[in-house]
């Protein structure tokens, strides 16, 4: 259910139609699926509705709104009033770019890299593109969310673009990973662009907040785990204490 300011949007639109457009509330209650036209809303009524909606939510509604029911108009307005979600989160990892790239793009081992994924199933590989199913650990309600994603990596530009194939509560979800070398290591940046379905439990703003909160946690985990691998490899490559100097060292 779409909600605005603590009230269902459908109720808000019904109130506007009754107060400003002459809608008979009893007729609307008897036929909730009827179109505005079927409820007797003429072009002047729709112009008044458009004016109030534009003033209250800075949203325009199309002329074809007469063919929609009140709930459908409410969903349309709510979607246009709620801008698409966009997040950008970044972390500096004290490790070489090649190592960060290899570890974070090893999708089959993401259960060892992230704390939220219980299962990763590789479904298809072709070149630098991989399609896979992710299943999360059960949430507070005991629900284990699962979906299929596809990602294509570009080892030359050090960028990855991904999207959800099974979108679930999202209308769409697109993710862009970027890797750059900096003083102090490798910066990895996640950008996510998405929109929620009207039936989703969260709107775009709510999901933006959730993603930003969770991304900070997961990026910190990834930083710690990749840096630990980098230290282990550095220790393995270091010459053993007391080792005999090589011929090159003598020179």
């Amino acid at each position: 259910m779409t909600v605005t300011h603590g009230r269902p949007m459908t109720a808000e639109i019904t109130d506007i139609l009754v107060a400003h457009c002459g809608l008979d509330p009893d007729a609307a209650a008897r036929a909730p699926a009827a179109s505005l036209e079927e409820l007797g809303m003429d072009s002047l009524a729709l112009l008044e509705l458009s004016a109030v909606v534009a003033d209250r939510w800075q949203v325009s509604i199309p002329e074809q709104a007469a063919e929609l029911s009140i709930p459908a108009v409410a969903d349309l307005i709510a979607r246009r009033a709620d801008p698409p979600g966009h997040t950008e989160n970044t972390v500096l990892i004290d490790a070489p770019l090649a190592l960060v790239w290899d570890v974070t793009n090893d999708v089959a081992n993401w259960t060892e890299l992230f704390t939220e994924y219980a299962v990763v199933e590789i479904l298809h590989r072709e070149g630098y593109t991989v399609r896979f199913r992710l299943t999360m650990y059960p949430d507070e309600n005991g629900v284990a969310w699962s979906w299929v994603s596809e990602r294509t990596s570009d080892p030359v530009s050090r960028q990855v673009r991904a999207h959800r194939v099974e979108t679930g509560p999202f209308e769409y979800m697109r993710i862009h990973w970027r890797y750059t070398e900096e003083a102090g290591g490798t910066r990895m940046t996640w950008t996510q662009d998405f929109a929620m379905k009207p039936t989703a439990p969260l709107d775009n703003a709510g999901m933006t907040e959730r993603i930003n909160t969770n991304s900070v946690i997961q990026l910190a985990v990834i930083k710690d785990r990749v840096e630990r691998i980098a230290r282990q490899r550095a220790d393995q490559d270091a010459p053993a204490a007391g080792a005999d100097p090589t011929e090159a060292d003598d020179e």
Side-chain angles (χ1 to χ4, degrees), residues 94-95 99 223-237:
D94 185 10
L99 175 62
K223 172 181 171 69
D224 178 70
R225 293 183 175 180
V226 175
E227 288 180 350
R228 189 182 312 147
I229 294 171
R231 289 193 299 270
Q232 291 172 347
R233 294 191 180 183
D235 290 343
Q236 292 170 358
D237 293 340

Side-chain angles (χ1 to χ4, degrees), residues 89-95 100 103-104 112-116 177 186-190 211-229 231:
N89 291 277
T90 185
V91 66
L92 182 62
I93 302 173
D94 185 10
V100 176
V103 172
T104 58
E112 304 299 319
L113 186 64
F114 294 81
T115 61
E116 57 186 348
W177 298 43
T186 302
R187 181 165 298 282
M188 184 173 69
T189 303
W190 293 346
I211 289 174
N212 279 330
T213 299
N214 190 59
S215 293
V216 170
I217 295 170
Q218 294 304 314
L219 285 171
V221 170
I222 292 172
K223 172 181 171 69
D224 178 70
R225 293 183 175 180
V226 175
E227 288 180 350
R228 189 182 312 147
I229 294 171
R231 289 193 299 270

Side-chain angles (χ1 to χ4, degrees), residues 159-225:
Q159 298 185 62
V160 180
R161 295 191 180 274
H163 67 277
R164 284 197 181 201
V165 177
E166 293 179 358
T167 58
F170 295 90
E171 281 194 358
Y172 64 88
M173 164 62 83
R174 295 189 287 267
I175 309 174
H176 183 201
W177 298 43
R178 305 192 306 276
Y179 301 75
T180 55
E181 288 183 296
E182 292 186 9
T186 302
R187 181 165 298 282
M188 184 173 69
T189 303
W190 293 346
T191 301
Q192 292 172 269
D193 291 287
F194 60 90
M196 307 305 295
K197 293 177 179 176
T199 54
L202 292 174
D203 60 13
N204 293 339
M207 183 56 72
T208 296
E209 181 179 359
R210 174 171 290 190
I211 289 174
N212 279 330
T213 299
N214 190 59
S215 293
V216 170
I217 295 170
Q218 294 304 314
L219 285 171
V221 170
I222 292 172
K223 172 181 171 69
D224 178 70
R225 293 183 175 180

Side-chain angles (χ1 to χ4, degrees), residues 3-232:
V3 176
T4 177
H5 303 302
R7 298 188 66 216
M9 178 67 88
T10 298
E12 296 256 4
I13 301 306
T14 301
D15 288 351
I16 293 171
L17 289 168
V18 170
H20 299 272
C21 307
L23 174 68
D24 179 352
D26 292 333
R30 288 193 301 268
S35 69
L36 297 186
E37 186 174 36
E38 291 170 337
L39 291 172
M41 298 295 95
D42 58 18
S43 58
L44 289 177
L46 291 176
L47 283 174
E48 186 64 25
L49 173 64
S50 297
V52 176
V53 167
D55 180 64
R56 189 173 300 184
W57 290 290
Q58 292 74 54
V59 168
S60 61
I61 58 175
E63 294 179 1
Q64 295 82 359
E67 303 170 6
L68 302 177
S69 66
I70 295 176
V73 171
D75 277 342
L76 175 67
I77 294 169
R79 288 155 59 86
R80 294 189 175 187
D82 186 20
H86 174 82
T87 67
E88 182 167 306
N89 291 277
T90 185
V91 66
L92 182 62
I93 302 173
D94 185 10
L97 187 152
L99 175 62
V100 176
W101 174 267
D102 289 344
V103 172
T104 58
N105 284 290
D106 184 7
V107 177
N109 286 312
W110 271 8
T111 54
E112 304 299 319
L113 186 64
F114 294 81
T115 61
E116 57 186 348
Y117 299 140
V119 180
V120 179
E121 179 186 2
I122 303 300
L123 303 177
H124 181 71
R125 287 186 185 273
E126 184 174 349
Y128 291 114
T129 299
V130 57
R131 180 171 291 199
F132 54 98
R133 174 173 293 281
L134 287 174
T135 302
M136 303 182 74
Y137 287 102
D139 62 16
E140 62 274 10
N141 298 314
V143 179
W145 295 95
S146 181
W147 65 91
V148 173
S149 288
E150 186 173 281
R151 56 191 274 117
T152 300
S153 59
D154 183 349
V156 176
S157 67
R158 299 297 191 184
Q159 298 185 62
V160 180
R161 295 191 180 274
H163 67 277
R164 284 197 181 201
V165 177
E166 293 179 358
T167 58
F170 295 90
E171 281 194 358
Y172 64 88
M173 164 62 83
R174 295 189 287 267
I175 309 174
H176 183 201
W177 298 43
R178 305 192 306 276
Y179 301 75
T180 55
E181 288 183 296
E182 292 186 9
T186 302
R187 181 165 298 282
M188 184 173 69
T189 303
W190 293 346
T191 301
Q192 292 172 269
D193 291 287
F194 60 90
M196 307 305 295
K197 293 177 179 176
T199 54
L202 292 174
D203 60 13
N204 293 339
M207 183 56 72
T208 296
E209 181 179 359
R210 174 171 290 190
I211 289 174
N212 279 330
T213 299
N214 190 59
S215 293
V216 170
I217 295 170
Q218 294 304 314
L219 285 171
V221 170
I222 292 172
K223 172 181 171 69
D224 178 70
R225 293 183 175 180
V226 175
E227 288 180 350
R228 189 182 312 147
I229 294 171
R231 289 193 299 270
Q232 291 172 347

